[in-house]
Amino acid sequence: YLKISKLALAFAIIHSKPPGKSSKEYTEYLAKAVSEQDFGWKWKVEVLEAEVLRLRQELLLTRISPRFCLENRKQDTSAETLLGQESINPTSYSSQLEDSGCDVCNDSAFDSLGIASDFHLSEHDVNTSKHWLERVPLLSLCHSSREQSATAPVHFLQRLLEIRNLSEGGILQADFSELENDSFTICKSVSQLLDGLTVFYNSPKFPAPSFLTEGVRVLISLITDTKLSNHVLKKCFKKMEEFKKNLIKIILRSRSVNRFQALHSVSETLGLLGRNNILRNSLISLLLSEIRQFAEQLLQAHQVQSVYDITQYENIFFLCMILEQLLQNETEDSNISSSDHAGEEKIKFLKNLDQIILYLSDEFPLFSLYLWRVSVLLNSGQMQ
């Protein structure tokens, strides 16, 4: 039946083609017309789905805190949100445009994106209701469609954090148990945010768009907030795991010449994600696995004197630095128990590690040193 249908369609196209056009040209024209029509319908569906999600977000916020939503309706919704962050100054990025990206030793590089320095947003004191409700809002929506798709969830999650801050200060009453009743909205919003961050980390540009720094800030605030993190991680844990894996892939696979500055930003985001106890354990496991596999591949290439991937060798140091930082933070906090990473991945990593270090130490001394430092942290919990 399918073959007969295709044959009938082919004859119909041949018989109906206009003069001066070949059958192939007319077929391509029809295919293009149909695809454009499909694209138009898909775009309309996406617009409607986005509007439905926005309405669900508004409804969820109203259920959590009716007074907050009532106050916000009195204000200009295009203005800046009520989180107490500073406005971003685009001129602060001008120096980054002339940078070759080869300097990865500057600890303030990521700070120039405005993320690390503003990490403790949730720790700001709340003084009075008037102070919060008179603030002018953030995030004018960006013009490109992919930025708009990412700024929408950022705006919603910001308002959720605002309610959290205001309720913590005793200014508003809020019922966060409503998050349990609408898992779709919170999960969809976080997923859109993570997808948007992944897209821009895959194709970084400087100066960094404001929504990117804002998105990371909101994400970190969500997973470190004692009241909201459980709700978010419970519903979005798989998506968070996928996001961490994507960031690790971005680091390992990046091959552009001026990649180091962008990879430093990705590394800092992974380090910030590791501040959450649940995410930390799984992130350590992922890093141990990637570094172990690369060490084994490098050893094999060294033994048979074959060519190894020098770009991946350079990129692997970002993962080594993140892993060392996470392990150091863990040893400094006596309240944190190392459970997940101390299991199978730790055993695999430490197996034959001394032999690997011995064979690689002459040819790859820096990488061997990092392997040794990580092994010390895993074995003793202290740097020596």
Side-chain angles (χ1 to χ4, degrees), residues 156-171:
F156 162 69
L157 296 171
Q158 281 176 323
R159 295 167 68 190
L160 186 63
L161 286 168
E162 294 159 23
I163 296 176
R164 173 73 176 100
N165 287 332
L166 293 170
S167 64
E168 186 71 14
I171 299 171

PDB file of all heavy atoms in Angstrom, residues 156-171:
ATOM      1  N   PHE A 156      10.016  33.373  36.742  1.00  0.00           N
ATOM      2  CA  PHE A 156       9.135  32.662  37.680  1.00  0.00           C
ATOM      3  C   PHE A 156       9.896  32.207  38.926  1.00  0.00           C
ATOM      4  O   PHE A 156       9.433  32.395  40.061  1.00  0.00           O
ATOM      5  CB  PHE A 156       8.518  31.455  36.972  1.00  0.00           C
ATOM      6  CG  PHE A 156       7.947  30.429  37.903  1.00  0.00           C
ATOM      7  CD1 PHE A 156       6.805  30.699  38.658  1.00  0.00           C
ATOM      8  CD2 PHE A 156       8.549  29.181  38.047  1.00  0.00           C
ATOM      9  CE1 PHE A 156       6.280  29.745  39.532  1.00  0.00           C
ATOM     10  CE2 PHE A 156       8.030  28.236  38.904  1.00  0.00           C
ATOM     11  CZ  PHE A 156       6.890  28.513  39.652  1.00  0.00           C
ATOM     12  N   LEU A 157      11.069  31.616  38.733  1.00  0.00           N
ATOM     13  CA  LEU A 157      11.835  31.103  39.869  1.00  0.00           C
ATOM     14  C   LEU A 157      12.361  32.230  40.751  1.00  0.00           C
ATOM     15  O   LEU A 157      12.492  32.071  41.972  1.00  0.00           O
ATOM     16  CB  LEU A 157      12.993  30.233  39.359  1.00  0.00           C
ATOM     17  CG  LEU A 157      12.557  28.958  38.622  1.00  0.00           C
ATOM     18  CD1 LEU A 157      13.752  28.273  37.974  1.00  0.00           C
ATOM     19  CD2 LEU A 157      11.840  28.006  39.578  1.00  0.00           C
ATOM     20  N   GLN A 158      12.648  33.363  40.142  1.00  0.00           N
ATOM     21  CA  GLN A 158      13.036  34.537  40.936  1.00  0.00           C
ATOM     22  C   GLN A 158      11.913  34.935  41.895  1.00  0.00           C
ATOM     23  O   GLN A 158      12.144  35.210  43.068  1.00  0.00           O
ATOM     24  CB  GLN A 158      13.375  35.709  40.015  1.00  0.00           C
ATOM     25  CG  GLN A 158      14.746  35.627  39.390  1.00  0.00           C
ATOM     26  CD  GLN A 158      14.959  36.771  38.428  1.00  0.00           C
ATOM     27  OE1 GLN A 158      14.033  37.185  37.728  1.00  0.00           O
ATOM     28  NE2 GLN A 158      16.164  37.284  38.378  1.00  0.00           N
ATOM     29  N   ARG A 159      10.711  34.982  41.353  1.00  0.00           N
ATOM     30  CA  ARG A 159       9.566  35.387  42.184  1.00  0.00           C
ATOM     31  C   ARG A 159       9.321  34.373  43.297  1.00  0.00           C
ATOM     32  O   ARG A 159       8.927  34.734  44.409  1.00  0.00           O
ATOM     33  CB  ARG A 159       8.339  35.555  41.301  1.00  0.00           C
ATOM     34  CG  ARG A 159       8.493  36.700  40.302  1.00  0.00           C
ATOM     35  CD  ARG A 159       7.420  36.662  39.241  1.00  0.00           C
ATOM     36  NE  ARG A 159       6.101  36.957  39.794  1.00  0.00           N
ATOM     37  CZ  ARG A 159       4.962  36.800  39.119  1.00  0.00           C
ATOM     38  NH1 ARG A 159       5.012  36.322  37.886  1.00  0.00           N
ATOM     39  NH2 ARG A 159       3.806  37.082  39.676  1.00  0.00           N
ATOM     40  N   LEU A 160       9.566  33.099  43.000  1.00  0.00           N
ATOM     41  CA  LEU A 160       9.438  32.071  44.034  1.00  0.00           C
ATOM     42  C   LEU A 160      10.456  32.316  45.149  1.00  0.00           C
ATOM     43  O   LEU A 160      10.141  32.201  46.343  1.00  0.00           O
ATOM     44  CB  LEU A 160       9.649  30.694  43.407  1.00  0.00           C
ATOM     45  CG  LEU A 160       9.416  29.482  44.311  1.00  0.00           C
ATOM     46  CD1 LEU A 160       7.962  29.422  44.768  1.00  0.00           C
ATOM     47  CD2 LEU A 160       9.785  28.196  43.565  1.00  0.00           C
ATOM     48  N   LEU A 161      11.674  32.683  44.767  1.00  0.00           N
ATOM     49  CA  LEU A 161      12.708  32.988  45.768  1.00  0.00           C
ATOM     50  C   LEU A 161      12.381  34.260  46.544  1.00  0.00           C
ATOM     51  O   LEU A 161      12.691  34.365  47.732  1.00  0.00           O
ATOM     52  CB  LEU A 161      14.067  33.133  45.081  1.00  0.00           C
ATOM     53  CG  LEU A 161      14.707  31.829  44.604  1.00  0.00           C
ATOM     54  CD1 LEU A 161      15.889  32.118  43.681  1.00  0.00           C
ATOM     55  CD2 LEU A 161      15.170  30.990  45.786  1.00  0.00           C
ATOM     56  N   GLU A 162      11.757  35.210  45.871  1.00  0.00           N
ATOM     57  CA  GLU A 162      11.351  36.437  46.564  1.00  0.00           C
ATOM     58  C   GLU A 162      10.358  36.125  47.680  1.00  0.00           C
ATOM     59  O   GLU A 162      10.456  36.641  48.801  1.00  0.00           O
ATOM     60  CB  GLU A 162      10.710  37.412  45.561  1.00  0.00           C
ATOM     61  CG  GLU A 162      11.676  37.940  44.517  1.00  0.00           C
ATOM     62  CD  GLU A 162      10.940  38.453  43.295  1.00  0.00           C
ATOM     63  OE1 GLU A 162       9.747  38.794  43.438  1.00  0.00           O
ATOM     64  OE2 GLU A 162      11.537  38.507  42.214  1.00  0.00           O
ATOM     65  N   ILE A 163       9.369  35.288  47.346  1.00  0.00           N
ATOM     66  CA  ILE A 163       8.384  34.888  48.350  1.00  0.00           C
ATOM     67  C   ILE A 163       9.072  34.188  49.511  1.00  0.00           C
ATOM     68  O   ILE A 163       8.748  34.414  50.680  1.00  0.00           O
ATOM     69  CB  ILE A 163       7.318  33.968  47.723  1.00  0.00           C
ATOM     70  CG1 ILE A 163       6.521  34.734  46.662  1.00  0.00           C
ATOM     71  CG2 ILE A 163       6.382  33.408  48.774  1.00  0.00           C
ATOM     72  CD1 ILE A 163       5.511  33.869  45.914  1.00  0.00           C
ATOM     73  N   ARG A 164      10.046  33.351  49.183  1.00  0.00           N
ATOM     74  CA  ARG A 164      10.798  32.641  50.224  1.00  0.00           C
ATOM     75  C   ARG A 164      11.516  33.619  51.140  1.00  0.00           C
ATOM     76  O   ARG A 164      11.470  33.508  52.370  1.00  0.00           O
ATOM     77  CB  ARG A 164      11.813  31.693  49.565  1.00  0.00           C
ATOM     78  CG  ARG A 164      12.775  31.026  50.539  1.00  0.00           C
ATOM     79  CD  ARG A 164      12.077  29.962  51.336  1.00  0.00           C
ATOM     80  NE  ARG A 164      13.021  29.263  52.183  1.00  0.00           N
ATOM     81  CZ  ARG A 164      13.204  29.492  53.477  1.00  0.00           C
ATOM     82  NH1 ARG A 164      12.480  30.407  54.097  1.00  0.00           N
ATOM     83  NH2 ARG A 164      14.080  28.807  54.172  1.00  0.00           N
ATOM     84  N   ASN A 165      12.184  34.617  50.568  1.00  0.00           N
ATOM     85  CA  ASN A 165      12.901  35.607  51.372  1.00  0.00           C
ATOM     86  C   ASN A 165      11.953  36.430  52.238  1.00  0.00           C
ATOM     87  O   ASN A 165      12.235  36.705  53.410  1.00  0.00           O
ATOM     88  CB  ASN A 165      13.711  36.538  50.457  1.00  0.00           C
ATOM     89  CG  ASN A 165      14.925  35.863  49.862  1.00  0.00           C
ATOM     90  OD1 ASN A 165      15.485  34.941  50.453  1.00  0.00           O
ATOM     91  ND2 ASN A 165      15.320  36.283  48.670  1.00  0.00           N
ATOM     92  N   LEU A 166      10.831  36.824  51.640  1.00  0.00           N
ATOM     93  CA  LEU A 166       9.877  37.638  52.381  1.00  0.00           C
ATOM     94  C   LEU A 166       9.218  36.846  53.504  1.00  0.00           C
ATOM     95  O   LEU A 166       8.981  37.371  54.597  1.00  0.00           O
ATOM     96  CB  LEU A 166       8.809  38.182  51.431  1.00  0.00           C
ATOM     97  CG  LEU A 166       9.309  39.205  50.397  1.00  0.00           C
ATOM     98  CD1 LEU A 166       8.229  39.497  49.367  1.00  0.00           C
ATOM     99  CD2 LEU A 166       9.751  40.488  51.075  1.00  0.00           C
ATOM    100  N   SER A 167       8.923  35.581  53.249  1.00  0.00           N
ATOM    101  CA  SER A 167       8.318  34.751  54.299  1.00  0.00           C
ATOM    102  C   SER A 167       9.318  34.472  55.411  1.00  0.00           C
ATOM    103  O   SER A 167       8.954  34.398  56.589  1.00  0.00           O
ATOM    104  CB  SER A 167       7.801  33.441  53.705  1.00  0.00           C
ATOM    105  OG  SER A 167       8.876  32.661  53.199  1.00  0.00           O
ATOM    106  N   GLU A 168      10.583  34.318  55.048  1.00  0.00           N
ATOM    107  CA  GLU A 168      11.620  34.088  56.046  1.00  0.00           C
ATOM    108  C   GLU A 168      11.767  35.300  56.962  1.00  0.00           C
ATOM    109  O   GLU A 168      12.056  35.163  58.151  1.00  0.00           O
ATOM    110  CB  GLU A 168      12.955  33.794  55.342  1.00  0.00           C
ATOM    111  CG  GLU A 168      14.091  33.393  56.269  1.00  0.00           C
ATOM    112  CD  GLU A 168      13.925  32.017  56.857  1.00  0.00           C
ATOM    113  OE1 GLU A 168      13.071  31.244  56.370  1.00  0.00           O
ATOM    114  OE2 GLU A 168      14.652  31.709  57.818  1.00  0.00           O
ATOM    115  N   GLY A 169      11.581  36.497  56.391  1.00  0.00           N
ATOM    116  CA  GLY A 169      11.676  37.719  57.192  1.00  0.00           C
ATOM    117  C   GLY A 169      10.392  38.053  57.937  1.00  0.00           C
ATOM    118  O   GLY A 169      10.318  39.096  58.590  1.00  0.00           O
ATOM    119  N   GLY A 170       9.378  37.217  57.820  1.00  0.00           N
ATOM    120  CA  GLY A 170       8.129  37.459  58.525  1.00  0.00           C
ATOM    121  C   GLY A 170       7.246  38.501  57.882  1.00  0.00           C
ATOM    122  O   GLY A 170       6.279  38.969  58.488  1.00  0.00           O
ATOM    123  N   ILE A 171       7.567  38.879  56.645  1.00  0.00           N
ATOM    124  CA  ILE A 171       6.794  39.919  55.967  1.00  0.00           C
ATOM    125  C   ILE A 171       5.561  39.344  55.283  1.00  0.00           C
ATOM    126  O   ILE A 171       4.506  39.963  55.233  1.00  0.00           O
ATOM    127  CB  ILE A 171       7.693  40.643  54.944  1.00  0.00           C
ATOM    128  CG1 ILE A 171       8.874  41.304  55.673  1.00  0.00           C
ATOM    129  CG2 ILE A 171       6.909  41.681  54.159  1.00  0.00           C
ATOM    130  CD1 ILE A 171       9.928  41.845  54.744  1.00  0.00           C
TER     131      ILE A 171
END
